[in-house]
Amino acid sequence: MAFITVTDLSLGYDEQLVLRDLNFSVSKGDYLCIVGENGSGKTTLMKTILHLKEPISGKIETGDGLKQNEIGYLPQQTIVQKDFPASVKEIVLSGCQGRCGFRPFYSKEEKTLARENMERMGITDLANRCYRDLSGGQQQRVLLARALCATGKVLLLDEPVAGLDPKVTAQMYDLIEGLNKEGITIIMISHDISAAVRYASHILHIGDRVFFGSREEYLKSGIGKSFVEMGKGGENNG
């Protein structure tokens, strides 16, 4: 069975239906990019997968040994979150909260895991820095390290390169690709269609038209061809 299976899912927000009868699955090792026009329901879908929102109908099932608390999440940052007055080490460690149960402190193993993930993201030298004093790219590395403390299996990333300059964007994509090659399943919302078709193994396109399949199938499809051409034209397809 797949890690995540979505069956006949309908969802929306503010009592407005935005997606109807959606079906797709995500297997271990996949790199799925979710693309589509603004307002098509990408973030709503991701929050529904995380059970932060209830679906209107349909179901989302986890399988192949994946538990709901083994899904790491990197949401879009708000202005308030960017200004959070905590140290890098404290924020990364907070990703272990789901492992603590009722313990009011972090174990030696959890502190080791946080340290290893800071090393993995190349931010060890920032451990004692205040999060709000970091650059946008550094903050995203901190949040990735935090998400990795929550899971070694699946990462959900909501436009992780939004607002980053081209050089830092390329570095972030390389980091995410490296994690996928290590065996972590990636589900990423992207407004960057060129990056989506470069890195993803599978594409889920939602909106007025829906497509789910491999990257190769998407590039051959009518919806894929038209969307890629729009991307080349410089339009924002978030």
Side-chain angles (χ1 to χ4, degrees):
M1 186 178 178
F3 263 171
I4 299 172
T5 303
V6 173
T7 307
D8 297 331
L9 185 71
S10 295
L11 50 87
Y13 51 86
D14 297 333
E15 300 182 358
Q16 179 182 355
L17 182 71
V18 293
L19 273 174
R20 183 192 302 273
D21 299 330
L22 185 64
N23 293 274
F24 69 94
S25 61
V26 182
S27 297
K28 184 177 181 179
D30 282 355
Y31 189 144
L32 173 68
C33 271
I34 303 174
V35 301
E37 296 81 1
N38 284 323
S40 58
K42 299 186 293 296
T43 296
T44 301
L45 171 60
M46 191 167 276
K47 288 182 177 179
T48 305
I49 292 172
L50 290 161
H51 295 300
L52 299 175
K53 293 183 79 71
E54 289 296 317
I56 293 172
S57 62
K59 58 184 179 180
I60 300 171
E61 299 173 290
T62 55
D64 199 15
L66 178 70
K67 300 174 183 177
Q68 186 62 38
N69 65 356
E70 293 178 313
I71 300 175
Y73 179 41
L74 197 163
Q76 290 188 51
Q77 279 201 90
T78 65
I79 297 297
V80 171
Q81 289 166 334
K82 287 177 183 288
D83 201 37
F84 195 66
S87 73
V88 166
K89 182 166 59 180
E90 289 170 332
I91 288 178
V92 175
L93 255 175
S94 70
C96 295
Q97 285 179 349
R99 303 170 183 267
C100 290
F102 293 106
R103 279 187 286 111
F105 55 87
Y106 296 109
S107 68
K108 181 179 178 181
E109 290 77 14
E110 287 155 358
K111 290 177 181 177
T112 298
L113 179 64
R115 186 172 64 253
E116 289 173 348
N117 282 321
M118 284 192 286
E119 290 173 0
R120 205 172 179 182
M121 293 294 103
I123 56 171
T124 305
D125 59 325
L126 304 176
N128 296 313
R129 291 271 303 277
C130 183
Y131 177 77
R132 65 183 176 191
D133 294 335
L134 304 181
S135 68
Q138 290 170 330
Q139 288 187 345
Q140 288 298 77
R141 285 173 181 256
V142 172
L143 295 179
L144 259 181
R146 180 183 186 276
L148 287 167
C149 284
T151 182
K153 293 184 177 181
V154 181
L155 282 178
L156 271 61
L157 312 173
D158 192 348
E159 298 199 9
V161 301
L164 303 181
D165 67 45
K167 180 180 178 181
V168 177
T169 292
Q171 292 170 346
M172 186 62 61
Y173 280 137
D174 285 345
L175 276 175
I176 294 166
E177 183 183 32
L179 292 172
N180 182 240
K181 287 179 176 178
E182 289 175 22
I184 294 177
T185 302
I186 302 293
I187 303 175
M188 181 174 74
I189 292 174
S190 179
H191 67 272
D192 185 347
I193 188 65
S194 63
V197 298
R198 185 184 313 131
Y199 295 105
S201 63
H202 294 76
I203 302 285
L204 173 63
H205 185 125
I206 59 178
D208 294 333
R209 295 178 292 169
V210 173
F211 172 93
F212 171 68
S214 70
R215 171 181 56 195
E216 292 76 15
E217 290 168 337
Y218 181 68
L219 288 170
K220 293 176 182 176
S221 70
I223 186 173
K225 288 177 180 177
S226 62
F227 208 61
V228 169
E229 284 303 312
M230 285 172 61
K232 289 177 180 177
E235 293 187 34
N236 178 3
N237 300 310

